[in-house]
Amino acid sequence: MVRAIGFTQSVLGAELQDSTRMELEDITDTLNSLIAAGFVESVPHCEAVQLAEMPVISFEINPAYAHDIKEAIRRR
């Protein structure tokens, strides 16, 4: 999911669904977990993403964690 979001610009939920090929419910659950942990931010900001709203909300990596996340991905 983090690779699908990327580090340069925000990505719409519908684009995430296309690139990850995950079920809408699974994507929403994963995004909510990443938002709760602080790794991902939604635009506009919300504490939890609703299933019906997810395709039209943009998501981006939290800049405060971007460096650490990039390092973790490179190590794999």
Side-chain angles (χ1 to χ4, degrees):
M1 180 70 63
V2 171
R3 287 183 187 195
I5 295 172
F7 296 94
T8 57
Q9 57 187 344
S10 61
V11 178
L12 282 174
E15 294 173 17
L16 287 175
Q17 187 176 15
D18 290 342
S19 64
T20 61
R21 298 185 185 127
M22 294 171 65
E23 295 294 324
L24 190 60
E25 296 84 9
D26 295 335
I27 293 173
T28 304
D29 289 342
T30 303
L31 287 168
N32 282 329
S33 297
L34 291 169
I35 290 170
F39 296 127
V40 172
E41 297 177 341
S42 62
V43 180
H45 175 74
C46 55
E47 295 295 321
V49 178
Q50 301 300 315
L51 191 63
E53 299 169 340
M54 193 282 296
V56 297
I57 294 176
S58 294
F59 300 93
E60 58 188 18
I61 300 296
N62 183 337
Y65 293 105
H67 178 72
D68 294 333
I69 294 172
K70 283 181 189 177
E71 286 297 316
I73 290 173
R74 269 190 227 141
R75 290 183 193 155
R76 296 189 96 209

